[in-house]
Amino acid sequence: MKVVIAEKPDQAMKLASPFAHRKQQGFVEVHPNRMFPKGAFFTWAVGHICELVPPEAYNPAWKKWSLATLPLVPQSFQHQVMKSKAKQFGIIKQLLKRSDVTEIIHAGDAGREGELIVRTIVEMCKVRKPMKRLWISSLTEKAVTAGFAALLEETETRNLYHEAYSRSCADWLVGMNASRVYTLLLQQRGIKDVFSAGRVQTPTLALVVKREKEIAAFKPEPFWEVKATFAIGKKRYEGVWHKEDGESRILDPQLAERIAAFCRDKPSEVSEVETERKEFLPPYLFNLSSLQATANKMFKYSPQKTLEIAQKLYVKGLLSYPRSDSSFVTQEEAKTFPDILNKLSKQPEYQPHFPLAKASIASDKRYVNQKKVTDHYAIIPTEQVPTVSKLSDEERKIYDLVARRLIAAHQESALFDYTTVNTLVDGRAVFISKGKVQIRAGWREVLFDEEKDDKEAVLPPLAKGETGKVHKVEAKESKTQPPKRYTEGQLITLMKTAGKHLDNQELEKVLMKTEGLGTEATRAGIINMLKERKYIEVRKNQVFATQKGTLLIDVIGDKILASPEMTARWEQRLQEIGQGDASAQVFMEQVRKLSHKIVEDAVEQSREWKLEAYDVEALPTSKQASKFSIGSKVAACRACGGDLVDKGEFYGCANYKKSQCTVTISKTIMGKKITPAAAKKLMETGKTNLIKGFVKGKERFDAYLQWDEADKKAKVSMPALAEKNA
C-alpha cells in the first residue's frame, strides 16, 4: 500500500478522481488498479499543518518581550502541530504508521512551499519509509496519470525543501527580533502598538514610503506651451512649438504669449516629415506576476484575489500551476497547443481570431525554451477547455486573459508607422507633431483591451512642402506633476524588480533571474500583510503609506533591514540553495549574525529618534496592539494609590478585587481615543492636556478630562469651566 499526501483536500480529490475510490474521514481509499496494484490512501494537509514553535518553547524567559533577551537565536529550529489542524495530522500519522504501508508519495504543490509542508508532516510523524515525488503542473486526468507513471526520486527535489526551510527559519529570526526590538523601543517613547517588521515586508514598505515622501516633497512648477492647429486644405492637425534642442516648455508666460501672438493667422509649411516603421512582437505568456499586474490594471483585482481565482481554475484542471515564475514552456507543452487552440476556436469569444497566422510556435524561442523553464512552465490553458461563458464572472475574466495570451502568441506582430512632422510658421517658428498609423493590427486584435492606454494621435497624410496656415494658436499653462502612487499591480512588479520599477509589458526579459522581494507565491500575501498591519491603505487601486508605516521606515532609516537590494541578494542565495549550489547551514549562520546586527542597529538609532512630527493618537493600531498592552501599568490610581492598568477596552485599578477600588477610564470617550499618556496625566495632576476632537451629535469640540474627587471618576470639562475649577 502507498500513502499519497496532497497539500489540500480538493487537490487530493482531484488526484484520486482517475481511479475507483471511496471517501473516508480525512482520506480517500483508492481501490487496487494498474497504477496502484495494492490500492492506496490519498490524504491531505490543510495548508501548513505544522508551524515553527514560539520563542518560549526554546526558553521560558523569551515569552516576555524584553530588550534584555534580544536577539532570540535558537540553536536549532523545532516545529509543532497547529492545534486547529491536529485532527487531520493524526489521520495522516495513523496512515503512515500502518504496517501495510510501504511507500509515501509526496504530492504537495510542485514548488518550494509544497515541498516544505509535506516533508515537515512526514518528519513530525517520525516515519522513515521510502518516498517518491509527484511533480505535475496541471490537475487534468491526463497530467495526473502521467505524473504517477513517472514519479521522481525524493532526492531530486530535496534541495527545494532545504530552500523553503531556510526561508521560513530566516523569516522567523529576522521577523521575531526586528518586531520585538522596534516595538519595545517605540513603547519607551509612549507608542503602545506592535510594530511587525520582516525580511520581505519591510523593504517592500520602504518602497511605498519612499514614493509617498516623493509625492509629499514635490512642488509643482508652472510652465507654458504654445499649441497650434494647422489647416492645410481640408486637413487639420495639431503641433507644439519647440526650441532647437527639442524643448517645448516655456517658463516665461509673457514669452509664450508673444510666440502665440506672432503665429496667429500666419502661413505655415510642412518643412520635414519623418516616418519610422516599428514592429511589436506578441507579449510573452503569463507568469504569476505579469498575470497579477494585468488583472489589476484591467479589473482592479488585488494580487491576492488574482492568485485565488487562478488557483481555483488550476484545481478545476483548467489552468496550469499558477505560482510559476516562468514565461516559457518546453517542447512537450508546445505540442499540446494545437489541440487546446482547436477547442478554443469553437467558442464564440475566440472564433473571430481564427484561423491563426501561425499553426505552431514550437520552434519559436520567444515562447518555447527549456533552459528558461524553472520549476514550472508559463501559465497556460490545459487541454480541459471549459465553456468559457459558463464560468463565474471572475473565473471567466482570468481564464480569458490566459487564453488570449496563448492565441496572441500565434498571431503576427503588430506594425505601426510612427511619424514626426515639423511645421514652419512664417519661416521662423517650428512646431512638432507626432502621431502613428497602424499598418497591421496582428496580435493586438486579440489583446486590444490590454493595449487601450495608447493615446498617440493619428495624423493625416502629409508631405514635405505642403502649405497652409495657422488655424488656431494659444499659450496653454500646465504644471509639473508629482510621481504617481503605485497600483497594487505595479507594486507586485516593483517587488519582483527589487525596487527598479519598469512599466513595460516585456518585463520577463529583465526578470528571468530571481532578484526580487519574495517569490511568485508570497508577494500577494506580503501586500495583504502590509494592509492588515495598517502600514498601507489601498484606495481606488492606489497604494498609500499610512503614518504608522512611515513611522516604522523612518525609525529603521537606511539600515540593512529596509534594503531591497539586500533582500534581493538573499532571494538569490535561497534559490541557489534550492538548486544545490549553496549551503543552507552557511546561509543560516549569516542570518543569525544579521539578527544581532538588527538589534544593535535599532538600539543605537533609537537614541537619535525624533518623533515629535507624529500624531501618536492618530496612528492606526493593529489587532495585536491591545493584546500586547493588556495588563501593563499606565499610572498610579488617584483614588487608592494602586496600579491603574490596561484592561483592553478601558484602564482600571488593579485593586478592584483586593479593596473594591472601582476607578476606571474608558479608552474611547465621545468618539475620542484616550491614550495611556492622557490617562497618566489625569491620574498625576487631576487634569489632562487639552484633547481635540470630541464628538457629540453633529458637534465637534475640544475639552479636558478632569478628575471628579467626589465621584472618583473622570469627566469631560470644557476649557473655560476647567480653568475656573483648576
Side-chain angles (χ1 to χ4, degrees), residues 617 672 674 678 688-694 701-705:
E617 293 182 23
K672 187 64 184 174
I674 307 303
T688 65
N689 294 330
L690 187 66
I691 299 173
K692 296 182 177 183
F694 286 106
F701 61 94
D702 304 336
Y704 299 97
L705 280 186

Side-chain angles (χ1 to χ4, degrees), residues 606-627:
S606 67
R607 301 185 185 107
E608 308 297 326
W609 286 350
K610 292 180 175 61
L611 308 181
E612 295 77 13
Y614 288 94
D615 181 358
V616 174
E617 293 182 23
L619 287 176
T621 54
S622 61
K623 291 179 180 177
Q624 306 115 301
S626 57
K627 182 180 176 183

Side-chain angles (χ1 to χ4, degrees), residues 357-500:
K358 302 173 190 174
S360 172
I361 57 171
S363 60
D364 189 342
K365 288 192 174 180
R366 184 175 178 79
Y367 306 104
V368 184
N369 192 330
Q370 176 74 53
K371 292 178 182 176
K372 292 186 177 181
V373 173
T374 49
D375 292 345
H376 296 278
Y377 48 80
I379 303 171
I380 56 173
T382 67
E383 71 273 12
Q384 191 176 308
V385 174
T387 302
V388 178
S389 59
K390 291 185 178 179
L391 294 172
S392 69
D393 182 60
E394 291 177 351
E395 290 179 351
R396 180 184 58 76
K397 285 176 177 174
I398 296 301
Y399 185 88
D400 184 67
L401 284 181
V402 177
R404 285 179 181 276
R405 275 288 174 106
L406 181 62
I407 294 169
H410 289 75
Q411 300 287 8
E412 289 184 295
S413 59
L415 291 180
F416 287 90
D417 278 351
Y418 284 81
T419 302
T420 302
V421 176
N422 280 353
T423 305
L424 192 61
V425 174
D426 200 30
R428 291 176 61 188
V430 180
F431 285 72
I432 192 167
S433 308
K434 291 188 176 184
K436 71 174 183 180
V437 177
Q438 179 173 286
I439 305 302
R440 182 174 72 205
W443 59 269
R444 283 173 55 89
E445 284 189 348
V446 184
L447 301 180
F448 178 74
D449 286 343
E450 282 190 42
E451 303 296 313
K452 61 187 176 185
D453 285 349
D454 204 334
K455 295 177 182 176
E456 286 272 6
V458 176
L459 292 173
L462 296 164
K464 184 177 180 179
E466 285 190 275
T467 59
K469 71 168 192 172
V470 176
H471 176 69
K472 185 173 73 173
V473 65
E474 61 182 329
K476 286 193 171 182
E477 182 182 359
S478 298
K479 287 184 177 177
T480 54
Q481 297 298 308
K484 290 183 179 179
R485 286 186 170 84
Y486 301 119
T487 64
E488 283 193 85
Q490 288 169 335
L491 190 52
I492 282 283
T493 299
L494 195 66
M495 292 173 74
K496 183 155 186 173
T497 57
K500 302 177 203 65

Side-chain angles (χ1 to χ4, degrees), residues 19 82 183 265 292 349 372 395 414 431 459 552 635:
F19 315 107
M82 297 169 71
T183 296
D265 300 318
Q292 287 169 320
E349 295 91 337
K372 292 186 177 181
E395 290 179 351
F431 285 72
L459 292 173
L552 179 61

Side-chain angles (χ1 to χ4, degrees), residues 195-338:
F195 282 80
S196 169
R199 183 181 64 84
V200 180
Q201 61 163 306
T202 302
T204 303
L205 176 61
L207 295 172
V208 178
V209 170
K210 180 185 176 188
R211 177 53 57 95
E212 199 73 43
K213 289 187 172 186
E214 288 170 350
I215 293 169
F218 183 83
K219 292 181 180 177
E221 295 179 356
F223 66 90
W224 288 260
E225 288 183 318
V226 179
K227 297 187 176 182
T229 303
F230 300 103
I232 293 180
K234 292 184 178 180
K235 294 184 278 194
R236 297 284 189 277
Y237 65 99
E238 293 183 349
V240 179
W241 175 87
H242 69 92
K243 292 184 264 187
E244 288 182 10
D245 63 1
E247 180 56 61
S248 65
R249 293 182 178 186
I250 304 166
L251 302 182
D252 180 355
Q254 293 179 338
L255 174 59
E257 284 296 346
R258 285 199 299 273
I259 294 169
F262 167 79
C263 293
R264 282 191 183 96
D265 300 318
K266 292 283 174 59
S268 62
E269 179 185 359
V270 176
S271 61
E272 198 174 332
V273 178
E274 286 184 2
T275 298
E276 181 186 3
R277 181 159 291 184
K278 290 186 180 180
E279 180 182 27
F280 295 90
L281 296 173
Y284 289 96
L285 300 174
F286 280 121
N287 59 27
L288 179 57
S289 290
S290 58
L291 178 61
Q292 287 169 320
T294 302
N296 180 259
K297 176 183 172 184
M298 292 185 64
F299 313 126
K300 304 295 185 287
Y301 287 172
S302 71
Q304 185 65 34
K305 182 172 184 176
T306 298
L307 175 56
E308 287 168 0
I309 298 167
Q311 181 72 20
K312 285 180 188 175
L313 291 167
Y314 165 65
V315 171
K316 288 182 177 181
L318 306 181
L319 288 186
S320 62
Y321 186 68
R323 292 176 170 85
S324 174
D325 63 356
S326 177
S327 299
F328 298 87
V329 297
T330 66
Q331 284 284 348
E332 284 304 305
E333 278 69 54
K335 288 176 184 174
T336 68
F337 288 171

